[in-house]
Amino acid sequence: MREPLIKTLILGVALIFSAALPALGQSEPSAAQLRETFAHPPDDCRIMMRWWWFGPAVSKSEIQRELEQMKAAGIGGVEIATLYPLALDVPQTGFRNLPFLSDDHIEALRFAAAEARRLGLRVDITLTSGWPFGGPHIPVTQAAGKLRVQIVPIPHGSQSIQVPSIDTGEHLIALFLVPAIALDYKHAEQIPTSAIENGRLNISPKPDTRSNALFFISSRTGMTVRRPAVDAEGFVLDHYDQQAIANHLHEVGDRLMEAFGDHPPYAVFSDSLEDEGSDWTGEFLEQFRQRRGYDLTPYLPALVADTGPDTTAIRHDWGKTLTELANEHYLAPLHAWAQQHHTLFRSQTYGTPPVTLSSNQFADLPEGEGKATLLMWRQFSDVRWAASAGHLFGKPIISSETWTWLHSPAFRATPFDMKAEADLHFLQGINQLVGHGWPYSPESAGEPGWRMYAAGAFNAHNPWWFAMPDLAAYLQRVSFALRQGRPANNVALLLPNDDAWARFRVESNSSSAASVSIGDSMPALLGNKIIPQILDAGFNSDFIDADAIDTVGIPYSVLVLPGVERLPLPTYRKIEQYARQGGIVIATRRLPSTAPGLLNAGSETQQIEDISQRLFRGQGALGHLVEDEDQLGRKIATYAKPDVVLSPQISEIGFVHRHLSEGDLYFLANTSNHAVRTRARFQHRATNAEWWDPFTGRISPLENASEVDVALQPYESRLIFFTNSAINEKKLPIPAAQPSRTIDLSSDWNLVFSGSNQTLHMTTLRSWSDEEPYYSGQVTYEKTIDLPPDANSNSSLVLDFGEGTPVAIPDPLPEFNMRAYLESPVREAAEVYVNGQRAGVVWHPPYTIDLSALMRPGKNELRIIAGNTAINSMAGRALPEYRLLNARYGERFVPQDMDRLQPLPSGLLGGLRLKIFPH
């Protein structure tokens, strides 16, 4: 049995990119430089947008216009993703869908890349159309593989039965006879394929015995590329077949690179691996024999049903082989191809095929994907999976696909919704956001333009768009901060990959998809208590797996084994050595007891049990067993010092800790829809503490660095820096708790609706939707206010729009539930001008803005521009009819949640006041 190539390849990739990427903590800036750069962060920390080209039906003028809009809004780059057409060709106007990879398509990409360079924007390119990789160049013999299991009942007394049809791209690999009573797979009898003649299986009938024939066929899933562009239709490729990815990179990758010439894209991108049901490849049996050391053929029934004590060991070996093939035959060639083309490989490495956390080592830029749930940061997630891999393998920039399912339908999400979800990604270790996404939209599409079938639409067609630069600046500052120093997570949670592989199985019903995903297996294996227990005890955690331990060790203070049954013996030995060197090992529920794999089960299982006994039982045991996982957090805090202690403990507050040579930087976020207040003690030894405001870039010293008062508005976030390098600025004065005077501004406003001559006088502020329910756009509010003479330089003048109103959170939560559950008094953003000068934008709590520098005693002209969402106008007219489009191209998408459209409250809803605070 040869040593699998995976570890050798992984180590090689790690060594190559340890030289290509800057080492964590290397050449760190001084505290003064950090403060200055935080106020004006570099452009490479800006968010990106997945830029959907539908059709693709693009023009150079529109490409230029949209790139300039992104640049002006503070967006730092694009990932060009080509999808299905949204309109039919119109020869009379010249509108047409460019065939994917045609000369015209490549020329459009070339122009977009040049324009992006001119604007200083980053460009990534997806190496396919739609997802997963595939297309018309993939023959059925390279299409996604599947083990087809066909059960054929044998009529009593029959001497032959018809063999199932074997189609192109398929071949029969084995057949068995199984007793028909209860389908007793433990007594399956393998029959030589030579018993088949002329399409029929010859059988020697057995008296008084009924049987079924079990045919194992190397087959194909039949999955085709999802949401493809014109001329990009075809089979999804076989992720276990190196010839398939080589074919794809030649036909698609090389062609796309022609658009970039001597200026390659910043990165090439592989989207989430959603090769549903792919659990086989044509050469699997030979690959299995080489890697596992035995022939799988006689054991194939174990992949379908229980065949006895060895069932899980056989399934484990099958699953592990699938992972190795995906790593070596898909990810490694992709990474090598990217290097050859002088670009980086950005990859969402999770899903099916069953890649592991350590598979992310083949990505230069690991990426996660938000599942749009309020609790994603307290559950197993692809985001923390990617961040953990980045931390373990020295990948300092870790991105996430953000806002994928945020507050559906398209155009419903607000800037505040976007901030609320982005903070959850930051809390899991992300420091580069890729927005999902920006729909390219031609002028002919009207308002609000094109949108993807099931995602947000975050482009300039949103009436609240003027708030985007402010939101983007916030996200840019936090991204910059979370790239400083190195991650300071102190707890590692072992992902039980070997247990997951042992749970894989093939469905005997050919219409069902096999469940062969490591990530999808983790929620059940980890349970729903462990991650919240770690977080609530004041720790932050990364995931780790056996391959990572074998490659980089355990660079954490605490290692948690969550109900792990199977562990490779070499890995467990490293864990025992880690404990002997002072590492804290905690097992929950049970102790590791089994060596994974069929050939290891007998020889190594006893050694696994011996380590468990030494480590967790008897006198001098170094490990700790926590059978009740409700006690896990308390147990960890018994042996390790918590990073953050809150008094009182508030589970809605999350944190990220970065350790710098100049100090310790923490990101704190309130993930709830209500204000929170607590006192916090942080694990640091610095003498000074500073609040860093990610909205303004301002920094203010704190009086007490040992214990900090933390008061956060709903969904508010801040950064706190502990350092021995004192800031020169004076401590900001604490504003007066109560205003000396309040001027009611909730009445007598003149409203002007943008893009029309319509005006409206509001005696009392309320939603403009009461009068104009189907208007989406911007409305200008105008009013003259008289400021008292005594409101002079000794006063602070604050315009207060009122409090947000919490929205009831559904119980139970629906599958996709991410949004800010707080209704703003400003729907959805307001840009404020005083005497013709811009004061700023209001879109998040506290809904206030300081006007002290702009107002003067006497008369002042107050102008407020409010923007709502596009939902109102969409609710007021018929939705696009795609009948003829579907007739031409087939139904490639179904618009999501369009039945939920109804007018929403818009504008300033009342309660507007000017508060005068004495200094």
Side-chain angles (χ1 to χ4, degrees):
M1 179 176 68
R2 70 180 181 88
E3 181 70 13
L5 291 175
I6 174 63
K7 293 180 182 176
T8 303
L9 289 168
I10 282 176
L11 183 58
V13 171
L15 291 174
I16 290 169
F17 272 86
S18 64
L21 296 175
L24 291 175
Q26 180 178 335
S27 302
E28 287 190 11
S30 67
Q33 290 170 326
L34 275 172
R35 296 182 186 110
E36 173 61 26
T37 311
F38 178 70
H40 307 285
D43 288 351
D44 64 3
C45 297
R46 291 182 173 185
I47 66 171
M48 295 178 59
M49 281 288 180
R50 180 172 292 181
W51 192 14
W52 293 304
W53 285 15
F54 297 100
V58 294
S59 68
K60 291 182 177 180
S61 59
E62 183 63 28
I63 287 171
Q64 178 181 354
R65 187 175 74 92
E66 294 190 13
L67 286 172
E68 289 175 346
Q69 288 175 333
M70 293 186 217
K71 176 71 172 182
I75 294 167
V78 294
E79 168 210 308
I80 300 177
T82 309
L83 295 182
Y84 51 83
L86 274 175
L88 292 166
D89 293 0
V90 183
Q92 294 85 346
T93 65
F95 178 91
R96 67 189 183 100
N97 293 287
L98 311 177
F100 184 64
L101 302 182
S102 65
D103 289 345
D104 288 337
H105 176 214
I106 297 302
E107 175 58 28
L109 285 173
R110 185 178 292 114
F111 178 80
E115 281 297 292
R117 285 196 303 273
R118 177 181 67 84
L119 295 168
L121 299 176
R122 166 180 161 181
V123 175
D124 291 4
I125 186 75
T126 303
L127 289 179
T128 193
S129 171
W131 69 93
F133 284 10
H137 53 284
I138 298 296
V140 69
T141 52
Q142 292 179 356
K146 175 181 175 61
L147 183 59
R148 179 159 72 96
V149 182
Q150 195 85 24
I151 300 175
V152 179
I154 301 175
H156 183 63
S158 296
Q159 296 185 351
S160 70
I161 59 170
Q162 182 175 319
V163 173
S165 173
I166 306 295
D167 206 344
T168 306
E170 298 183 318
H171 64 272
L172 178 67
I173 56 178
L175 60 96
F176 296 80
L177 292 183
V178 180
I181 299 175
L183 281 177
D184 185 4
Y185 286 82
K186 292 175 182 162
H187 294 92
E189 175 189 356
Q190 186 174 358
I191 302 298
T193 56
S194 59
I196 298 175
E197 294 180 358
N198 299 320
R200 296 189 68 84
L201 172 63
N202 296 320
I203 303 165
S204 297
K206 298 180 181 180
D208 301 323
T209 300
R210 294 184 181 276
S211 299
N212 290 320
L214 195 63
F215 293 87
F216 286 86
I217 300 166
S218 176
S219 183
R220 308 290 164 175
T221 67
M223 183 179 182
T224 55
V225 175
R226 290 178 170 178
R227 326 299 177 199
V230 174
D231 280 6
E233 310 86 349
F235 286 121
V236 169
L237 62 78
D238 184 347
H239 287 72
Y240 310 115
D241 181 352
Q242 193 162 356
Q243 292 305 310
I245 187 60
N247 178 18
H248 182 82
L249 290 174
H250 175 69
E251 295 292 333
V252 177
D254 290 349
R255 177 63 169 153
L256 288 173
M257 289 303 102
E258 293 178 20
F260 295 89
D262 296 333
H263 302 277
Y266 184 89
V268 292
F269 178 58
S270 171
D271 208 338
S272 53
L273 302 173
E274 300 178 30
D275 192 355
E276 294 178 354
S278 182
D279 57 14
W280 201 258
T281 190
E283 296 182 353
F284 186 86
L285 289 176
E286 177 57 29
Q287 290 286 343
F288 185 95
R289 185 181 299 106
Q290 293 178 21
R291 295 161 188 274
R292 304 283 81 84
Y294 66 96
D295 183 9
L296 178 62
T297 308
Y299 301 100
L300 284 171
L303 306 187
V304 180
D306 183 10
T307 58
D310 292 335
T311 299
T312 55
I314 295 165
R315 292 181 181 180
H316 167 277
D317 289 346
W318 164 54
K320 183 176 177 67
T321 303
L322 291 174
T323 297
E324 290 176 359
L325 291 174
N327 285 332
E328 297 173 28
H329 291 179
Y330 178 76
L331 293 172
L334 262 172
H335 177 259
W337 182 91
Q339 282 187 305
Q340 292 165 7
H341 289 79
H342 309 290
T343 185
L344 299 176
F345 177 38
R346 185 173 125 245
S347 177
Q348 294 184 358
T349 311
Y350 44 85
T352 305
V355 289
T356 64
L357 180 145
S358 284
S359 300
N360 281 279
Q361 291 183 87
F362 293 100
D364 306 318
L365 301 168
E367 179 163 298
E369 176 183 356
K371 298 302 185 186
T373 64
L374 293 169
L375 300 176
M376 73 168 87
W377 68 289
R378 294 173 63 83
Q379 301 168 335
F380 175 83
S381 74
D382 302 329
V383 175
R384 193 179 294 274
W385 166 290
S388 302
H391 296 165
L392 281 162
F393 304 121
K395 318 286 185 174
I397 308 302
I398 308 158
S399 57
S400 67
E401 177 187 308
T402 314
W403 309 314
T404 305
W405 300 94
L406 179 64
H407 212 167
S408 183
F411 289 107
R412 177 63 183 87
T414 70
F416 191 35
D417 289 326
M418 296 169 73
K419 180 207 181 292
E421 181 178 334
D423 285 348
L424 302 188
H425 293 249
F426 290 142
L427 287 176
Q428 297 173 83
I430 296 302
N431 53 26
Q432 172 68 67
L433 301 181
V434 182
H436 188 281
W438 180 294
Y440 171 98
S441 188
E443 185 177 353
S444 60
E447 291 296 337
W450 285 350
R451 57 266 188 187
M452 192 188 179
Y453 75 101
F458 305 107
N459 59 12
H461 291 269
N462 287 282
W464 50 256
W465 184 248
F466 56 80
M468 190 63 184
D470 201 60
L471 168 64
Y474 163 82
L475 299 172
Q476 182 183 2
R477 284 197 185 93
V478 177
S479 296
F480 164 77
L482 297 183
R483 296 182 185 188
Q484 304 313 302
R486 57 180 174 81
N489 294 351
N490 39 22
V491 177
L493 179 60
L494 182 69
L495 299 180
N497 294 345
D498 293 279
D499 287 338
W501 285 320
R503 290 186 172 201
F504 288 178
R505 61 170 295 169
V506 172
E507 296 296 333
S508 58
N509 181 352
S510 60
S511 64
S512 299
S515 176
V516 289
S517 167
I518 294 287
D520 290 349
S521 302
M522 284 303 146
L525 287 167
L526 297 180
N528 57 11
K529 295 181 179 180
I530 287 182
I531 295 175
Q533 279 286 312
I534 294 171
L535 298 176
D536 290 346
F539 300 91
N540 215 329
S541 70
D542 280 337
F543 300 140
I544 196 170
D545 64 13
D547 280 335
I549 291 175
D550 293 345
T551 304
V552 301
I554 309 172
Y556 301 88
S557 302
V558 181
L559 175 66
V560 177
L561 312 181
V564 175
E565 180 181 352
R566 294 167 185 81
L567 262 179
L569 180 58
T571 305
Y572 207 11
R573 285 172 175 160
K574 289 183 174 66
I575 293 172
E576 183 180 25
Q577 183 63 23
Y578 162 81
R580 293 188 186 283
Q581 294 173 349
I584 300 166
V585 181
I586 298 176
T588 72
R589 284 176 264 158
R590 62 186 173 194
L591 300 179
S593 60
T594 304
L598 182 63
L599 298 187
N600 296 333
S603 60
E604 296 182 357
T605 289
Q606 185 59 54
Q607 297 180 67
I608 295 288
E609 293 177 349
D610 291 345
I611 294 176
S612 288
Q613 292 302 311
R614 290 196 301 270
L615 197 52
F616 295 98
R617 304 288 192 193
Q619 188 174 4
L622 297 173
H624 313 279
L625 174 62
V626 178
E627 295 179 346
D628 180 2
E629 288 181 345
D630 288 326
Q631 301 300 314
L632 176 61
R634 183 187 62 80
K635 195 73 170 180
I636 297 175
T638 301
Y639 300 105
K641 184 178 180 181
D643 201 350
V644 178
V645 177
L646 303 179
S647 301
Q649 167 61 36
I650 299 176
S651 294
E652 293 93 342
I653 295 179
F655 75 91
V656 171
H657 178 192
R658 304 285 298 187
H659 181 69
L660 290 67
S661 60
E662 292 287 337
D664 289 273
L665 184 63
Y666 288 82
F667 171 76
L668 302 177
N670 175 14
T671 65
S672 74
N673 64 351
H674 56 268
V676 295
R677 191 177 190 95
T678 187
R679 291 185 68 82
R681 286 185 287 109
F682 297 84
Q683 190 182 121
H684 71 93
R685 297 180 180 177
T687 56
N688 303 308
E690 305 163 358
W691 280 123
W692 290 16
D693 184 349
F695 286 109
T696 64
R698 288 194 293 265
I699 294 174
S700 56
L702 286 168
E703 292 282 356
N704 186 357
S706 60
E707 194 166 75
V708 179
D709 280 322
V710 177
L712 298 173
Q713 293 283 330
Y715 302 107
E716 185 182 2
S717 51
R718 294 190 214 165
L719 292 130
I720 185 168
F721 185 45
F722 296 97
T723 179
N724 291 324
S725 174
I727 191 172
N728 294 325
E729 297 180 24
K730 296 180 180 179
K731 295 179 174 63
L732 295 178
I734 300 175
Q738 296 295 329
S740 62
R741 185 178 308 177
T742 297
I743 301 175
D744 185 3
L745 300 179
S746 61
S747 59
D748 296 321
W749 286 85
N750 293 316
L751 278 62
V752 178
F753 288 74
S754 177
S756 70
N757 296 322
Q758 183 178 1
T759 61
L760 179 69
H761 179 79
M762 273 194 180
T763 304
T764 302
L765 285 177
R766 64 191 184 281
S767 168
W768 81 56
S769 300
D770 293 346
E771 277 77 22
E772 296 293 336
Y774 301 117
Y775 176 78
S776 289
Q778 296 174 5
V779 171
T780 300
Y781 292 70
E782 296 176 333
K783 181 181 178 67
T784 301
I785 61 175
D786 202 355
L787 192 64
D790 57 345
N792 53 27
S793 59
N794 292 324
S795 301
S796 292
L797 308 176
V798 176
L799 185 63
D800 187 343
F801 288 77
E803 297 287 333
T805 304
V807 176
I809 298 175
D811 186 17
L813 287 169
E815 181 180 6
F816 301 114
N817 51 69
M818 187 61 221
R819 57 161 294 191
Y821 283 85
L822 188 81
E823 297 294 13
S824 166
V826 180
R827 301 295 297 272
E828 299 301 335
E831 191 170 28
V832 180
Y833 292 82
V834 177
N835 300 319
Q837 298 185 61
R838 185 179 184 274
V841 179
V842 175
W843 56 271
H844 62 84
Y847 298 100
T848 60
I849 190 166
D850 193 326
L851 304 182
S852 305
L854 299 178
M855 297 194 75
R856 57 181 181 264
K859 294 191 180 300
N860 292 265
E861 300 298 325
L862 187 59
R863 180 162 58 97
I864 302 174
I865 301 173
N868 62 349
T869 72
I871 293 296
N872 290 35
S873 63
M874 292 169 64
R877 59 177 182 264
L879 295 172
E881 169 58 64
Y882 297 115
R883 180 178 60 86
L884 296 179
L885 184 75
N886 293 340
R888 170 65 178 84
Y889 295 111
E891 190 175 46
R892 304 193 184 196
F893 64 97
V894 176
Q896 179 175 289
D897 294 338
M898 290 296 104
D899 56 334
R900 300 184 187 181
L901 294 176
Q902 57 182 344
L904 300 171
S906 303
L908 311 184
L909 303 188
L912 190 64
R913 296 166 293 175
L914 182 67
K915 293 182 176 180
I916 304 174
F917 294 92
H919 283 319

